[in-house]
Amino acid sequence: MKNFLMGSAAILAVAIPNAAFAQSTGSSDFEDSIIVTGARIDNGVGGVKIPDSPKAKVVLGQEIIQAQRPGQTINEIINLVPGVSFTNNDPWGSSGGNFTIRGFSSDRISQTFDGIPLNDSGNYAVYTNQQVDAELIENVNVNLGSTDVDSPTAAAVGGTVNIKTLEPSDEYGVLASASYGNIIADGSGDRPYFRMFGVVNTGDLTGHGTKAWISASRLKNEAAFANYGKVSKQQYNAKIWQDIGDNGDFISLAGHYNQNRNNFGGSPLRANAITGDKKGRFYDIAGGYPCNVSQTSTPNACGTDFERRFNPSNTGNVRLNSRFTLTERLTFSVDGAYQWVKANGGGTTSANETFFTDSTGFSGTGNYNGSFYFGRDLNGDGVLGRVTLVQPSQTNTRRWVGIANLAYEIDDSNRVRLSYSYDRARHRQTGYAGFLDLGGTPLDVFPINDPVADAAGNALQKRDRKSIAELNQIAGEYRGQFFEDKLTVLLGGRMPFFKRELDQNCFTTSSGGFVNCVPEDQQAAYIATHPYSYNATTGRATGSALPQERKLKYDKFLPNVGATFKITPEISIAGSYAKNISVPSTDALYNAFIFPADSDAAYRVAETSDSFDASVRYNSSTVQAALTGWYSKYKNRLVTAYDIDGNGTDTNLGPVKKYGIDGSISYTPIKEVTAYLFGSYIKSEIQNDAVTGSCTLDSDIQLAGLCYVQDGVAYLRTAGKRERSAPKYLFGGRLQGNLGDFTLGVQAKKTSSRYMNDINGEVQTATTSTGVTKLIAPGAKFGAYTVVDLDVRYSLASLGMEKGAIQLNVSNLFDKFYVGSFSGGLDTLASSSSAFVNFGSPRAISASLIVGF
């Protein structure tokens, strides 16, 4: 292990008294000025706070965050929020995971970092293993079902998660933590985990509110299940803060850099994912390890296992937050950020050393029908055969974000604000190939650094495209208080203007997004032999659509209104309505390039929704409780399925209705005990049957009665079915005892069963038209599961180390075996070669020593 800066902002930093629970600085300031003015500061109960705002929100603070395993992703921690379901790909939070809110996947949830969006600018995904170290988080706000009016998001129909980092402390302080852990499950063997974290708070450097902190962390662990794979993660953060006057004005500049090196941790879908049999969950990869790649013209399996796929990422951002009082009643805030991403994921390919030739007479190099053709001897054996190469899908992103708010206080009870949000991302997606070493490991996990070229020097690719995702948004909001501040009203709306500039440099060959990537010096010959045609009557395209550029625009006025009413100082009711929009991902837009730009078939409509919430709440110094009913109606429900290589396929499910109930209560009867219970019921109902390509006799889907043909058109029986991956219910709780220097916590979460596809198919037996009985797999239903975690913390204050502690964390205490995340699609078969699963994290234990001054 290398040396690290010592410290922990989690203990040393001083939290802002009236902690902000919205997204941007402007949203936080605007909400606090109305709701908190003149009221008792309410910091929640047991680290859980339910803000008394029109929208349904839950905020987790430092008390509950620091009880979780050091190094854990914040998305695992918010698994304690009603409506949220998170599955971790390893116990440590460094291998990624999958989460939903009210059944919506992460690409429909806006996750922000000090008000700045973290979702991928192309497919809107959230990468949970790249989040900021939890020790630096002051609180995390989960907004269930809607977003703030100034949020620069393209897809937040399912809610928002806002991570707020700590303000630097006024006092100098240093603290460091070191953690060791291991998986302790039957058959696991030795799979160690190491982590170090440190932070330094400078204190007030000038006597005028100039203060900063700087931190670093390093983490390493072994693969959770396979005998191959390691995770290495390092992260660096810094923030400098300048107070301006004594009325809350400030300027803050922060930086973040995260570097991950990890393998894919899942596996192709296996029978025990359905049966729940623990045997075989710890396994050796099929291709063997160590191994040697073939030196002949015929490749072997060395290096091709799913678990030997790499998923490296280098991500960073620089963030600005600020607030200025212009007059006694007029305030101005600006948030901004620059972000960059270099990341890829994917496996190997059996690349051809020959030229590509087809029946048209064309011959050349490039990537055709998913295979590389280099036209030269790559391994030097003197024979033109095939060679195993790595071929990940590479993404480079450069992104600028800005949010400006101007708020005017009309009087003590009425306030308005105007907002402008800007978000521009340059999204470059490539697919170069790279060489493996003799042991089957890539020479460079980023082949873009030194790509394999053909004899003419062309660096061949499996994809080659660039997109500009741009948003200009204006918004306005009014908040007022009436009847002696008992009634708070919100009236707002936003008008986003989305623009997508798409540049496809390959030839599109199908509506599924398949492309042929032809080097520029051979494109003329390819065009001449592969003419493109489109039949406007049938809507069918044939041939190869030319490389081309397109521009698309989406805009819609989105009202956002709500109110709260205090029945008593402790009891209130609230309601809100929001219209949301989700713009199609770049994958969906590129897939339409097979159709002419001016045709109806080429246009991809945006998903829109109308969402309603109604809550009753009870807030006191000992109780935080809420019960919320919600209803959402969707048009053009867009869902994305990813295959084993991470390639996306989008489906429009048409109208979908969703509704449910979220509830939670946090109670501290005495200062030594805190109890927290939460739960959710989620109903998801697809309204229409989906059109499909065919309903083949004796196919698995036809035998299960999940498709039919009407008037010559084949349909899937999706009407009345649940959306895939959406659990029906979630509930759990946490019990914490504070006994002198000891803190003991036990928490549990139960998640209901989930379907693999939207037709809700299951593995079953069926009889064919010829009378043969056989096992069919028109999908899968993954069983319900319950996970229990334990944490123990011993303060070293009585030993003279006020900021020190020893902490023990045990996750999945009873070693429950279950399926965490999984692939799936509209009608994905459980027997599909692209189907894969990530098993839930096995039982693991870690111990952490925290020291500081």
Side-chain angles (χ1 to χ4, degrees), residues 595-631:
F595 305 110
D598 57 353
S599 67
D600 292 339
Y603 186 70
R604 295 292 183 264
V605 296
E607 173 183 314
T608 59
S609 68
D610 295 280
S611 298
F612 303 85
D613 277 8
S615 302
V616 58
R617 301 168 184 153
Y618 183 92
N619 288 340
S620 72
S621 60
T622 59
V623 177
Q624 294 266 305
L627 185 65
T628 301
W630 58 273
Y631 173 82

Coordinates of all heavy atoms in Angstrom, one line a residue, residues 595-631:
F595 N -33.3 4.0 -41.6 CA -34.4 4.6 -42.3 C -34.0 6.0 -42.7 O -33.2 6.7 -42.1 CB -35.6 4.7 -41.4 CG -36.0 3.3 -40.8 CD1 -35.8 3.1 -39.4 CD2 -36.5 2.4 -41.6 CE1 -36.2 1.8 -38.9 CE2 -36.9 1.1 -41.1 CZ -36.7 0.9 -39.7
P596 N -34.6 6.5 -43.8 CA -34.3 7.8 -44.3 C -34.7 8.9 -43.2 O -35.6 8.7 -42.5 CB -35.2 8.0 -45.5 CG -35.4 6.6 -46.0 CD -35.5 5.8 -44.8
A597 N -33.9 9.9 -43.2 CA -34.0 10.9 -42.1 C -35.4 11.6 -42.1 O -35.9 11.9 -41.0 CB -33.0 12.0 -42.2
D598 N -36.0 11.7 -43.3 CA -37.3 12.4 -43.4 C -38.5 11.4 -43.3 O -39.7 11.8 -43.4 CB -37.4 13.2 -44.7 CG -37.2 12.3 -45.9 OD1 -36.9 11.1 -45.7 OD2 -37.4 12.8 -47.0
S599 N -38.3 10.1 -43.0 CA -39.4 9.2 -42.9 C -39.9 9.1 -41.5 O -39.2 9.4 -40.5 CB -38.9 7.8 -43.3 OG -37.9 7.3 -42.4
D600 N -41.2 8.6 -41.4 CA -41.8 8.5 -40.1 C -41.0 7.4 -39.2 O -40.9 7.5 -38.0 CB -43.3 8.1 -40.2 CG -44.1 9.2 -40.8 OD1 -43.7 10.4 -40.7 OD2 -45.2 8.9 -41.3
A601 N -40.5 6.4 -39.9 CA -39.8 5.3 -39.2 C -38.6 5.7 -38.5 O -38.1 5.1 -37.6 CB -39.5 4.2 -40.2
A602 N -38.0 6.8 -39.0 CA -36.7 7.3 -38.4 C -36.9 8.1 -37.2 O -35.9 8.3 -36.4 CB -36.0 8.2 -39.5
Y603 N -38.1 8.5 -36.9 CA -38.3 9.4 -35.7 C -38.5 8.5 -34.5 O -39.3 7.6 -34.5 CB -39.5 10.3 -35.9 CG -39.6 11.3 -34.8 CD1 -38.7 12.4 -34.6 CD2 -40.7 11.2 -33.9 CE1 -38.9 13.3 -33.6 CE2 -40.8 12.1 -32.8 CZ -39.9 13.1 -32.7 OH -40.1 14.0 -31.7
R604 N -37.8 8.9 -33.4 CA -38.0 8.2 -32.1 C -38.6 9.2 -31.1 O -38.1 10.2 -30.8 CB -36.7 7.7 -31.6 CG -36.0 6.6 -32.4 CD -36.8 5.3 -32.4 NE -36.2 4.2 -33.1 CZ -36.6 3.9 -34.4 NH1 -37.5 4.6 -35.0 NH2 -36.0 2.9 -35.0
V605 N -39.8 8.9 -30.7 CA -40.6 9.8 -29.8 C -40.0 9.7 -28.4 O -39.4 8.7 -28.0 CB -42.1 9.4 -29.8 CG1 -42.7 9.6 -31.2 CG2 -42.3 8.0 -29.3
A606 N -40.2 10.8 -27.7 CA -39.7 10.9 -26.3 C -40.7 10.3 -25.4 O -41.9 10.3 -25.6 CB -39.4 12.3 -25.9
E607 N -40.3 9.7 -24.3 CA -41.2 9.2 -23.2 C -41.6 10.4 -22.4 O -40.8 11.3 -22.0 CB -40.4 8.2 -22.4 CG -41.2 7.7 -21.1 CD -40.4 6.8 -20.3 OE1 -39.7 5.9 -20.9 OE2 -40.3 7.0 -19.1
T608 N -42.9 10.4 -22.1 CA -43.4 11.5 -21.2 C -44.3 10.8 -20.1 O -44.8 9.7 -20.3 CB -44.3 12.5 -21.9 OG1 -45.4 11.8 -22.6 CG2 -43.5 13.3 -23.0
S609 N -44.4 11.5 -19.0 CA -45.1 10.9 -17.9 C -45.8 12.0 -17.1 O -45.4 13.2 -17.1 CB -44.2 10.2 -16.9 OG -43.3 11.0 -16.3
D610 N -46.9 11.7 -16.4 CA -47.6 12.5 -15.5 C -47.5 11.8 -14.1 O -48.0 10.7 -14.0 CB -49.1 12.8 -15.9 CG -49.1 13.5 -17.2 OD1 -49.0 14.8 -17.1 OD2 -49.4 12.9 -18.2
S611 N -46.9 12.4 -13.1 CA -46.7 11.8 -11.9 C -47.4 12.6 -10.7 O -47.3 13.8 -10.7 CB -45.2 11.7 -11.6 OG -44.6 10.9 -12.6
F612 N -48.1 11.9 -9.9 CA -48.8 12.5 -8.7 C -48.3 11.8 -7.4 O -48.2 10.6 -7.4 CB -50.3 12.3 -8.9 CG -50.9 12.8 -10.2 CD1 -50.9 12.0 -11.3 CD2 -51.4 14.1 -10.2 CE1 -51.4 12.5 -12.5 CE2 -52.0 14.6 -11.4 CZ -51.9 13.8 -12.6
D613 N -48.1 12.6 -6.4 CA -47.8 12.1 -5.1 C -48.7 12.7 -4.1 O -49.1 13.9 -4.2 CB -46.4 12.5 -4.7 CG -45.3 11.6 -5.2 OD1 -45.7 10.7 -6.0 OD2 -44.1 11.7 -4.9
A614 N -49.1 12.0 -3.0 CA -49.9 12.5 -1.9 C -49.3 11.9 -0.6 O -49.2 10.7 -0.5 CB -51.4 12.2 -2.0
S615 N -48.9 12.8 0.3 CA -48.3 12.3 1.5 C -48.9 12.8 2.8 O -49.5 13.9 2.8 CB -46.8 12.7 1.5 OG -46.1 12.3 0.4
V616 N -48.8 12.0 3.9 CA -49.1 12.5 5.2 C -47.8 12.2 6.0 O -47.2 11.2 5.9 CB -50.3 11.8 5.8 CG1 -50.1 10.3 5.8 CG2 -50.6 12.3 7.2
R617 N -47.4 13.2 6.8 CA -46.1 13.1 7.5 C -46.3 13.5 9.0 O -47.1 14.3 9.4 CB -45.1 14.1 6.9 CG -44.9 13.8 5.4 CD -44.1 14.9 4.7 NE -43.9 14.6 3.3 CZ -43.8 15.6 2.4 NH1 -43.8 16.9 2.8 NH2 -43.7 15.3 1.1
Y618 N -45.4 13.0 9.8 CA -45.3 13.4 11.2 C -43.8 13.6 11.5 O -43.0 12.7 11.4 CB -45.8 12.3 12.1 CG -45.8 12.6 13.6 CD1 -46.9 13.2 14.1 CD2 -44.7 12.4 14.4 CE1 -47.0 13.6 15.5 CE2 -44.7 12.7 15.7 CZ -45.8 13.3 16.3 OH -45.8 13.7 17.6
N619 N -43.5 14.8 11.9 CA -42.1 15.2 12.2 C -42.0 15.7 13.6 O -42.7 16.7 14.0 CB -41.6 16.2 11.2 CG -41.3 15.6 9.9 OD1 -41.2 14.4 9.7 ND2 -41.3 16.5 8.8
S620 N -41.1 15.1 14.4 CA -40.8 15.7 15.8 C -39.4 15.4 16.1 O -38.7 14.8 15.3 CB -41.8 15.1 16.8 OG -41.4 13.7 17.1
S621 N -38.9 15.7 17.3 CA -37.6 15.5 17.6 C -37.3 14.0 17.9 O -36.1 13.6 17.9 CB -37.2 16.3 18.9 OG -38.1 15.9 20.0
T622 N -38.3 13.2 18.0 CA -38.1 11.8 18.2 C -38.7 10.9 17.1 O -38.4 9.7 17.1 CB -38.8 11.3 19.6 OG1 -40.2 11.7 19.5 CG2 -38.1 12.1 20.7
V623 N -39.5 11.4 16.3 CA -40.2 10.6 15.2 C -40.1 11.4 13.9 O -40.4 12.6 13.8 CB -41.7 10.4 15.6 CG1 -42.4 9.6 14.4 CG2 -41.8 9.6 16.8
Q624 N -39.7 10.6 12.8 CA -39.8 11.1 11.5 C -40.6 10.0 10.7 O -40.2 8.9 10.6 CB -38.5 11.3 10.8 CG -37.6 12.4 11.4 CD -37.8 13.7 10.7 OE1 -37.6 13.7 9.5 NE2 -38.1 14.7 11.4
A625 N -41.8 10.4 10.2 CA -42.7 9.3 9.6 C -43.4 9.9 8.4 O -43.7 11.1 8.4 CB -43.7 8.8 10.6
A626 N -43.6 9.1 7.4 CA -44.3 9.5 6.2 C -45.0 8.3 5.5 O -44.4 7.2 5.5 CB -43.4 10.2 5.2
L627 N -46.1 8.6 4.9 CA -46.8 7.6 4.1 C -47.2 8.3 2.8 O -47.9 9.3 2.9 CB -48.0 7.1 4.8 CG -48.8 5.9 4.1 CD1 -47.9 4.7 4.0 CD2 -50.1 5.6 4.8
T628 N -46.8 7.8 1.7 CA -47.0 8.4 0.4 C -47.6 7.5 -0.6 O -47.1 6.4 -0.8 CB -45.6 8.9 -0.2 OG1 -45.0 9.9 0.7 CG2 -45.8 9.6 -1.5
G629 N -48.7 7.9 -1.2 CA -49.3 7.2 -2.3 C -48.9 7.9 -3.6 O -48.8 9.2 -3.6
W630 N -48.6 7.2 -4.6 CA -48.2 7.8 -5.9 C -48.8 7.1 -7.1 O -49.1 5.9 -7.0 CB -46.7 7.8 -6.0 CG -46.0 6.5 -5.9 CD1 -45.6 5.8 -4.8 CD2 -45.7 5.6 -7.0 NE1 -45.1 4.6 -5.1 CE2 -45.1 4.4 -6.5 CE3 -45.8 5.7 -8.4 CZ2 -44.6 3.4 -7.3 CZ3 -45.4 4.7 -9.2 CH2 -44.8 3.5 -8.6
Y631 N -48.9 7.8 -8.2 CA -49.5 7.3 -9.4 C -48.7 8.0 -10.6 O -48.6 9.2 -10.6 CB -51.0 7.6 -9.5 CG -51.6 7.2 -10.8 CD1 -52.0 5.9 -11.1 CD2 -51.8 8.2 -11.8 CE1 -52.5 5.6 -12.3 CE2 -52.3 7.9 -13.0 CZ -52.7 6.6 -13.3 OH -53.3 6.2 -14.5

